[in-house]
Amino acid sequence: MKVSKALTIAGSDSGGGAGIQADLKTFQEFGVYGMSVLTAVTAQNTTGVQGVYPVELDGLEKQLTSIGNDLTPDSVKTGMLYSGEYIERVAYFVKKFGWKNLVVDPVMVAKGGATLLGREALDAMEKYMLPIAKVVTPNIPEAEALTGITINNDEAKKEAALLLFDKGARYIVIKGGHLENGPHVTDLFFNGEEMCEFVDIRVNTKNTHGTGCTFSAAITAELSIGKTVESAISNSKKFIQSAIQHGIDVGSGHGPVNHFAYRRILHEHC
């Protein structure tokens, strides 16, 4: 039996809500065999990040080589890549092994607005990752950091999408959750020719940890089983909306989204 495989290259979240852990949970929910390359180990929980400990660069390269020599992924996603040097190395190995269907979740800005990567890493993201990305999924602060555009309305969001396309990304999804636009959240999708919007009800919840990781991992899983980009994004929107609506109330801070909510809903309606 042929098994679709997806690889995540990201940091570990000890709290289990985001990063590698969220990605592997999501892959499993889509029936995809998940593999992982760790860029860093983080000490974190629902209240925040208490420490970040990068994997040695040689360890990163050995992990990538191990996957490339034996377990060719049908799709790949990147999350927290830690630094410009790590970004350059990951891009090198993606090209070396000819991995397709690269989904780049440019984890650069924390929910509170703090920049997680410096200018050098942003430059590396633009130079090495965007040109080889099939899909890039920035939130508003990340799109602002990558483009230098202040995004405070729909027109600015469209301008940022055009600029990201010019930088090499083939498909762009700019997530609109950070924009204050009332009871709805609007994500902008651009395929290089036309733009369309995905509109969902804004969920009033504090349990949103891992939203971006989970959404991009769902896209990655869908691509690995042969879905078109448009179909992958549409299905992933349904998946993440269910995960947010049925978030898990654990810990004393921002709890995680619910990775098994969508499957349960589908089962209940069968």
Side-chain angles (χ1 to χ4, degrees):
M1 180 180 71
K2 183 184 182 300
V3 178
S4 298
K5 303 185 296 296
L7 170 65
T8 171
I9 307 170
S12 169
D13 173 4
S14 57
I20 290 284
Q21 286 80 355
D23 295 343
L24 293 177
K25 291 174 185 178
T26 303
F27 294 163
Q28 187 80 8
E29 289 299 305
F30 280 86
V32 171
Y33 181 77
M35 304 170 291
S36 61
V37 168
L38 267 66
T39 58
V41 174
T42 70
Q44 65 176 294
N45 52 32
T46 64
T47 67
V49 178
Q50 291 79 46
V52 179
Y53 308 94
V55 171
E56 290 186 5
L57 198 58
D58 180 63
L60 173 70
E61 294 178 350
K62 286 287 183 12
Q63 291 178 81
L64 291 163
T65 300
S66 293
I67 297 296
N69 286 342
D70 184 47
L71 295 160
T72 301
D74 297 295
S75 60
V76 181
K77 74 149 284 190
T78 62
M80 187 183 74
L81 296 179
Y82 186 70
S83 74
E85 190 174 19
Y86 284 60
I87 291 169
E88 183 179 357
R89 287 286 83 197
V90 167
Y92 169 81
F93 279 95
V94 168
K95 290 188 290 186
K96 174 183 177 180
F97 289 115
W99 291 337
K100 307 300 182 184
N101 293 326
L102 176 64
V103 178
V104 175
D105 181 21
V107 182
M108 295 180 292
V109 182
K111 276 187 169 59
T115 301
L116 300 177
L117 295 182
R119 185 67 252 176
E120 164 260 352
L122 291 175
D123 291 341
M125 181 69 69
E126 293 181 34
K127 182 177 180 180
Y128 298 109
M129 294 303 294
L130 293 185
I132 62 173
K134 186 164 192 175
V135 184
V136 60
T137 62
N139 58 29
I140 295 296
E142 290 159 353
E144 289 179 331
L146 283 170
T147 63
I149 296 172
T150 298
I151 303 173
N152 51 20
N153 55 52
D154 289 341
E155 288 306 311
K157 197 191 300 182
K158 292 175 182 178
E159 183 182 352
L162 288 168
L163 189 53
L164 288 171
F165 183 79
D166 289 342
K167 291 176 181 289
R170 283 177 282 171
Y171 298 89
I172 296 99
V173 182
I174 299 181
K175 298 170 291 188
H178 287 75
L179 281 182
E180 297 295 332
N181 58 349
H184 296 95
V185 174
T186 302
D187 295 347
L188 177 68
F189 171 67
F190 181 50
N191 63 6
E193 296 181 356
E194 57 185 1
M195 296 187 184
C196 68
E197 295 179 335
F198 291 91
V199 182
D200 280 305
I201 299 296
R202 186 182 295 274
V203 180
N204 183 22
T205 177
K206 67 173 184 175
N207 298 326
T208 57
H209 185 53
T211 300
C213 300
T214 299
F215 176 59
S216 58
I219 295 172
T220 307
E222 286 280 88
L223 292 177
S224 74
I225 60 179
K227 297 292 181 66
T228 65
V229 172
E230 289 82 358
S231 178
I233 292 170
S234 179
N235 291 339
S236 297
K237 283 294 298 177
K238 297 173 185 175
F239 182 85
I240 191 59
Q241 186 71 8
S242 296
I244 296 171
Q245 287 176 331
H246 302 278
I248 301 174
D249 194 17
V250 296
S252 56
H254 291 279
V257 299
N258 188 340
H259 296 92
F260 47 79
Y262 190 59
R263 173 167 49 89
R264 286 188 174 180
I265 292 170
L266 289 178
H267 180 73
E268 290 171 359
H269 287 83
C270 286

